[in-house]
Amino acid sequence: MPIPSRAALVEHLVRTRIAGDVATPRDNNLSHYRQLANGNRHFWLGLELGDRWTDEQDVLAVMAERCGVNDDPEHRQGQDTIDPELTVDALDRMAARLRKAAADGERVLLATGHPGGLLDVHRQTANALREAGCEIVRIPGGLMADEGMVFQFADVAVLERGATLWHTHSPVPMAAILDGLEREGRPRPDLVVADHGWAGCAGQRGIDSIGYADCNDPALFLGEAEGTLQVTVPLDDHVADPRYYDPMTDYLLDAAGLLPSV
């Protein structure tokens, strides 16, 4: 398939509901913003937000700016949105950081708490980075977290419970990896490419962290606003078919200079 242009990618994101009118309802978004503002750490995704985001209207304002949700606080039910132009802008920022990683031969760790949607996005990114000369960090063996096993599947760190790859927002699996590397006397990653608490935990520990977040997961957008994360790409992180993410991944890797020239 040809690499999509920016305009073609925007159209694709809207048509597949990766962006545009997404499936996440407005009341769910507002509930999560309120929970974060009220100090529920499940919604902090591994970040330490202190008392800086105790007003849910401030959270909404950031989400409108960086994700493209409706900025009207009186809009409380029905449809909400992700601005596809903001998605592509963030992909371009992510591509710039991936290009730097490749140029410098960095150690990169990839991880996902949303294996049903984003596993192959991360896998393709890992393959491209390795081909470009990066070291894909191999995580320590035998790690346990949140009553499950932390291991790598197709070069991507995931949480497994009961022979099932687990959807998790928790930062604990990433903490287990970073602590395990330290115990073994191995260097931390130079870059983490992830989502959910995997990305938040890495950023909070001072590692360059870039990743993806849905419009009902505000913490990573706040982290980018504060400079704790380098890039947060807004998208629906579990659409009907994971193959819908392929054109987005192609665009990202091409913009990063990580696809072979024809």
Side-chain angles (χ1 to χ4, degrees):
M1 295 292 291
I3 306 301
S5 66
R6 181 186 178 103
L9 180 59
V10 165
E11 186 279 330
H12 172 79
L13 295 174
V14 171
R15 179 172 52 81
T16 58
R17 301 186 74 184
I18 295 172
D21 290 339
V22 293
T24 310
R26 176 67 168 192
D27 59 317
N28 182 264
N29 283 346
L30 294 181
S31 172
H32 286 203
Y33 304 169
R34 186 177 312 111
Q35 295 260 28
L36 180 147
N38 288 341
N40 185 334
R41 285 178 172 266
H42 173 78
F43 295 93
W44 288 17
L45 301 183
L47 295 170
E48 292 298 329
L49 301 176
D51 59 0
R52 298 184 299 278
W53 298 99
T54 57
D55 186 338
E56 65 182 276
Q57 300 308 319
D58 292 339
V59 179
L60 174 60
V62 171
M63 293 302 292
E65 176 188 10
R66 293 180 175 268
C67 185
V69 302
N70 190 312
D71 64 357
D72 181 3
E74 298 306 314
H75 175 51
R76 310 200 67 81
Q77 300 287 333
Q79 184 69 53
D80 214 340
T81 56
I82 293 174
D83 185 339
E85 297 287 349
L86 293 178
T87 303
V88 181
D89 287 346
L91 289 169
D92 288 339
R93 297 196 303 276
M94 180 180 279
R97 185 61 187 85
L98 294 177
R99 183 184 291 271
K100 179 181 184 301
D104 295 344
E106 291 183 344
R107 297 180 304 277
V108 184
L109 174 63
L110 298 98
T112 185
H114 230 303
L118 299 178
L119 178 62
D120 206 48
V121 175
H122 292 301
R123 180 196 63 80
Q124 292 181 62
T125 304
N127 287 347
L129 287 169
R130 178 182 283 111
E131 288 295 319
C134 289
E135 174 190 345
I136 303 304
V137 174
R138 188 176 182 86
I139 71 171
L143 296 178
M144 303 293 293
D146 292 335
E147 301 179 347
M149 297 175 57
V150 184
F151 68 97
Q152 275 170 306
F153 181 76
D155 287 325
V156 184
V158 292
L159 180 67
E160 183 266 349
R161 290 186 191 168
T164 300
L165 301 186
W166 205 253
H167 173 210
T168 177
H169 289 70
S170 172
V172 176
M174 177 58 77
I177 293 173
L178 299 178
D179 292 344
L181 291 172
E182 183 177 2
R183 283 194 304 272
E184 294 183 356
R186 295 167 56 196
R188 302 193 311 175
D190 300 306
L191 176 66
V192 166
V193 185
D195 48 68
H196 288 178
W198 304 80
C201 175
Q204 186 62 45
R205 292 201 182 193
I207 300 170
D208 278 8
S209 183
I210 60 178
Y212 305 92
D214 209 329
C215 56
N216 63 352
D217 291 327
L220 298 189
F221 296 99
L222 302 182
E224 184 183 9
E226 293 190 330
T228 311
L229 275 76
Q230 278 62 55
V231 183
T232 302
V233 178
L235 47 66
D236 187 318
D237 53 17
H238 198 141
V239 292
D241 185 344
R243 292 273 69 85
Y244 288 163
Y245 296 108
D246 285 351
M248 180 194 80
T249 308
D250 289 344
Y251 177 94
L252 170 69
L253 298 180
D254 182 65
L258 297 176
L259 290 183
S261 56
V262 179

